[in-house]
Amino acid sequence: MNLTVAGVGVVIEGTEILRDVNLRLEATDTVVLLGPSGSGKTTLLRAVAGLVPLATGAISWDGEDLVAVPTHERRLGMVFQDYALFPHLTVGRNVAFGLEIRRQDSTGPVEAALRMVGLDGFAHRSVEGLSGGEQQRVALARALVTRPRLMLLDEPLGALDASLGEHLLSELRRLLAPLPAIYVTHDRSEAMAIADRIALMRDGTIVRVDTPVAIWTNPMDTWTARFIGHENVFEDAYVPASSIRESPDGIHGATVLDRRFAGGLWHSSYRLEDGRIVTALVGDPSPGPDVRLDFTQHGLSKG
């Protein structure tokens, strides 16, 4: 099972939103579309779903052209940031909706889907009385109950507070494991936690597809290094904050500019002797304003 996006372009009201997008999804891949606002992430997801027309290119599933296939026949599970639940229906009826419009039996599958997302016994409850996390689980159950061949998720944790979102990330990872999925987010930590591969998007196209570890440890260019969260990025190099150490024998002289306690570590800013500003997370900071630092720079192109 695989999805292939080849040379896809999308133009909306005369504006080019996507250009020459290429992506391949394997059987149980979770690929995260990660990029700044306006980079085309949601438009690409909607193109795969058949919700926006293509100006160029093709989208296929195991070699079958999907462009002419209506959305409801593409066998997709879709979860959106606002969940799009029906407030007048019970939890069970919300989950059963996709099965009912297909005139398929729903009782057993709905119970199984709710059990899968940790909502066993919720079928007769009103969705209006649920917490944000519970509503998100209902939306997931509704997407999974139809046994989709591909999951599409657009900022599914965006409406939740940070602590609840972190709690649900591991659940999402478990639920998505057997299926190929495309997952849209602008949150770098969320992307790193859930992705098998990350597709970095910039200015309407995919500029790189790689594993989270490869992108973090080898961002390759200055734009990527800054975007994924490296704080110490220079014209042709970056320094991970976690790799900087204060040491009496350090080779870099520095002046401490600021220290903030960050839960067991100190987020510290320094001015080096050459004028550069760097930040680090240190566990046992040295007293006084002048310190010595050890760190290793990694080269970058200037992109």
Side-chain angles (χ1 to χ4, degrees), residues 30-43 45 79 81 152-159 165 169 172 182-195 197-202 223 227-228:
T30 294
V31 171
V32 171
L33 304 181
L34 177 65
S37 296
S39 58
K41 305 183 299 295
T42 294
T43 300
L45 196 79
V79 179
Q81 181 174 347
L152 304 177
L153 303 98
D154 190 6
E155 302 274 7
L157 304 181
L169 263 178
L172 270 175
I182 300 177
Y183 187 111
V184 167
T185 186
H186 65 275
D187 186 295
R188 298 177 295 266
S189 298
E190 188 178 325
M192 295 286 177
I194 203 166
R197 292 183 297 142
I198 291 174
L200 279 175
M201 295 197 69
R202 182 181 181 187
W223 180 86
F227 180 73
I228 65 174

Side-chain angles (χ1 to χ4, degrees), residues 10-31:
V10 169
V11 176
I12 298 177
E13 296 182 352
T15 300
E16 186 181 54
I17 308 298
L18 297 178
R19 56 181 174 81
D20 195 26
V21 173
N22 297 281
L23 182 66
R24 185 177 173 87
L25 211 70
E26 300 298 340
T28 59
D29 249 352
T30 294
V31 171

Side-chain angles (χ1 to χ4, degrees), residues 92 96 99-100 104-115 123 145:
L99 295 175
E100 289 178 351
Q104 297 176 6
D105 176 61
S106 62
T107 303
V110 166
E111 291 174 351
L114 288 173
R115 193 177 305 116
V145 75

Side-chain angles (χ1 to χ4, degrees), residues 6 19 39 57 67 69 76 89 120 165 174 202 223 226 253 259 261 273 277 279 283 289 293-294 303:
R19 56 181 174 81
S39 58
V67 172
V69 179
L76 307 173
L89 298 181
D120 196 16
R174 174 181 65 83
R202 182 181 181 187
W223 180 86
R226 290 190 181 99
R259 290 202 196 277
F261 188 62
E273 291 171 329
I277 306 297
T279 61
L293 301 176
D294 271 330

